[in-house]
Amino acid sequence: MKYTLLIFLSFLFTHVFGQQTLVSSEAISDCTGATTVLKTGDYRMQFSGKGGKVNDFQAYASLNNIEEKNSLFCSFKASYNGRFTLNAKCPQPIQMIIFEGETKYPCEEMKKGSAEIRRIISKPSTELGLDLVVSDHALYPIDLTAGKEIIICFIAPPKTKEFLEVNFVFEPMTGEMQETSEGGKLMDMRADKTESGLAILIRDYETGKPVISNITITGIKDITAAYQGSDFRFSVEKSGKVQLKIDAEGYFFVDREEPVSANTETEIVVWIEPLGEGKSMQIDEIEFYPGSSEFLPGAEPKLRRLRDFLALNAGVKVEIQGHVHSNGENTFEAQKLSEARAKRVYLYLVENGIDKLRLTSVGYGNTMPIFPNAKFASEEQSNRRVEIKVL
């Protein structure tokens, strides 16, 4: 089966936290580049064959005997109280270390040596994990409270680019999620179950059935968090806009913004499309400096989203396509600029741990505009894009 994915991207290298600006690595072999596991389930990832740009273990004397020369980092944040287990398999023997921090910046805590080492399997094995049955290569699961984040580091022999098959499982411990009549999962966060509020429903675009997904909500403080389920109910006491990030296994991811009114009944239905032959997805917000292949600030989240998608779906190969906006027939300059912009995305992915054998880049100049007779700046920007075709 062939999958098609069209993505509009942009780029930023620095993170700003309060008054301090931190320049961090986005490589999957560094903690700050950890692939975000938004939904539990089966994943196929790939080691980059090299170590990170920084030594994440430097502050831990107990880890001096572990060489971080070919590492793969993942992060997982609990959206409710639950128990975390995993099973990882690799053709080459691997090691695993799991860290937990007290703040929302666990990588900074690791740098200082204050992040707790929750689990460590230092004896290399081709299969290891967390399980209720403990062995040489399996330790007890980790109980997490809502909002807690852990960093999982897998380490393989130097230079190998083997695939890592991982199954992540996170099960509620307090029964907060309830089964729905259609096989979905309801998470009701209202103190009074009879009051009006915000309802968010995740549905399959083709069948209309509930889809159990991971959803991250920001914008309204009282409900800002990550959740898992298909149906959600919230009490909202302040009006505003919410930003939604939705991910489900076997589906294109969705990012959108919606207005919400306080103390009123509001229903948001998010239709997500399953992956399939000939299907495509489009993400806005790619911007370049005029006449350049340099990204304007503000696009790192989109690029990282793409990188995470590729890191967690290591069997996917992509063609990166560049397009520019220009009136009239395609010119040599337009052609070369589109090629450079596609190559820019390619280089970001390669530099941050995606195998270059999975990537190709090509430019189409202005031969395939979305708006052939663009009249507005927004239409011109839609023509000026990068598309990612997933085969």
Side-chain angles (χ1 to χ4, degrees):
M1 180 176 290
K2 181 173 65 177
Y3 299 147
T4 302
L5 173 64
L6 306 183
I7 299 186
F8 291 64
L9 308 160
S10 55
F11 185 61
L12 179 66
F13 282 104
T14 58
H15 304 276
V16 180
F17 303 125
Q19 300 298 317
Q20 183 181 18
T21 300
L22 302 172
V23 179
S24 59
S25 167
E26 288 296 308
I28 59 175
S29 48
D30 282 314
C31 178
T32 51
T35 299
T36 303
V37 179
L38 292 170
K39 187 181 189 312
T40 57
D42 294 309
Y43 291 96
R44 193 181 196 215
M45 296 178 278
Q46 187 177 23
F47 286 96
S48 64
K50 55 188 177 182
K53 300 176 183 178
V54 297
N55 184 354
D56 293 287
F57 302 159
Q58 187 171 5
Y60 295 87
S62 61
L63 301 180
N64 286 342
N65 63 329
I66 297 180
E67 295 185 337
E68 191 197 349
K69 293 185 177 180
N70 189 9
S71 49
L72 195 162
F73 281 84
C74 304
S75 69
F76 177 81
K77 180 179 284 189
S79 54
Y80 49 85
N81 297 337
R83 176 166 293 160
F84 180 83
T85 62
L86 70 87
N87 179 261
K89 297 180 181 180
C90 184
Q92 293 287 333
I94 57 174
Q95 300 163 290
M96 180 180 71
I97 308 171
I98 300 178
F99 300 85
E100 181 182 323
E102 292 298 323
T103 72
K104 59 181 179 179
Y105 306 123
C107 294
E108 284 301 298
E109 294 183 58
M110 285 176 59
K111 185 178 179 181
K112 299 173 183 176
S114 59
E116 179 185 358
I117 298 177
R118 291 295 304 271
R119 301 288 188 272
I120 178 170
I121 298 179
S122 58
K123 185 177 180 180
S125 174
T126 57
E127 183 173 356
L128 51 75
L130 305 178
D131 198 282
L132 290 172
V133 179
V134 177
S135 67
D136 288 343
H137 306 298
L139 301 178
Y140 282 116
I142 298 176
D143 293 340
L144 298 174
T145 57
K148 277 291 184 182
E149 183 177 5
I150 56 175
I151 302 294
I152 309 138
C153 177
F154 298 102
I155 303 169
K159 297 184 180 180
T160 180
K161 293 186 177 183
E162 293 285 2
F163 290 104
L164 178 71
E165 308 284 349
V166 189
N167 175 254
F168 296 105
V169 178
F170 190 62
E171 299 175 319
M173 298 177 63
T174 58
E176 284 133 330
M177 288 199 300
Q178 306 170 23
E179 293 277 354
T180 68
S181 59
E182 296 180 296
K185 295 283 187 179
L186 167 65
M187 178 172 282
D188 195 336
M189 305 299 292
R190 298 173 298 174
D192 179 358
K193 307 303 183 186
T194 64
E195 69 179 345
S196 298
L198 170 65
I200 301 177
L201 311 177
I202 315 298
R203 296 293 183 264
D204 185 297
Y205 180 80
E206 296 180 352
T207 67
K209 293 183 178 180
V211 179
I212 298 175
S213 312
N214 271 50
I215 176 171
T216 301
I217 302 176
T218 56
I220 295 181
K221 183 178 179 181
D222 292 343
I223 62 174
T224 292
Y227 307 91
Q228 187 179 69
S230 62
D231 298 50
F232 306 88
R233 299 286 189 276
F234 303 96
S235 299
V236 178
E237 297 180 356
K238 292 184 179 180
S239 299
K241 292 183 178 180
V242 292
Q243 291 78 43
L244 309 177
K245 292 175 62 177
I246 297 145
D247 296 82
E249 184 178 358
Y251 289 82
F252 293 118
F253 58 84
V254 174
D255 297 342
R256 59 191 280 186
E257 183 178 79
E258 294 285 346
V260 175
S261 299
N263 302 312
T264 60
E265 191 69 26
T266 303
E267 182 178 271
I268 300 173
V269 181
V270 182
W271 299 95
I272 60 176
E273 189 170 9
L275 298 172
E277 184 176 355
K279 294 180 180 178
S280 63
M281 182 176 72
Q282 178 175 304
I283 300 179
D284 300 317
E285 300 176 13
I286 183 170
E287 292 186 5
F288 295 92
Y289 285 101
S292 166
S293 61
E294 293 295 318
F295 293 99
L296 286 172
E300 181 187 3
K302 297 300 180 185
L303 281 172
R304 187 160 180 165
R305 210 121 154 73
L306 172 62
R307 190 215 60 180
D308 284 358
F309 175 84
L310 293 173
L312 292 171
N313 295 273
V316 174
K317 296 183 178 181
V318 302
E319 180 184 79
I320 305 165
Q321 304 174 348
H323 302 266
V324 300
H325 173 78
S326 180
N327 294 321
E329 295 183 0
N330 194 32
T331 63
F332 176 81
E333 290 77 11
Q335 179 65 33
K336 289 301 179 182
L337 182 58
S338 68
E339 292 173 2
R341 289 177 172 177
K343 191 71 172 181
R344 179 68 167 163
V345 178
Y346 169 93
L347 290 174
Y348 169 85
L349 296 171
V350 172
E351 289 169 359
N352 291 291
I354 303 302
D355 189 348
K356 64 181 181 181
L357 296 179
R358 300 170 56 196
L359 308 172
T360 59
S361 65
V362 62
Y364 286 95
N366 65 335
T367 61
M368 300 171 62
I370 295 176
F371 296 97
N373 300 306
K375 298 180 180 179
F376 306 101
S378 60
E379 294 178 345
E380 292 180 359
Q381 184 57 42
S382 294
N383 290 340
R384 190 180 297 117
R385 68 197 189 277
V386 171
E387 298 182 356
I388 307 298
K389 182 179 180 181
V390 178
L391 305 177

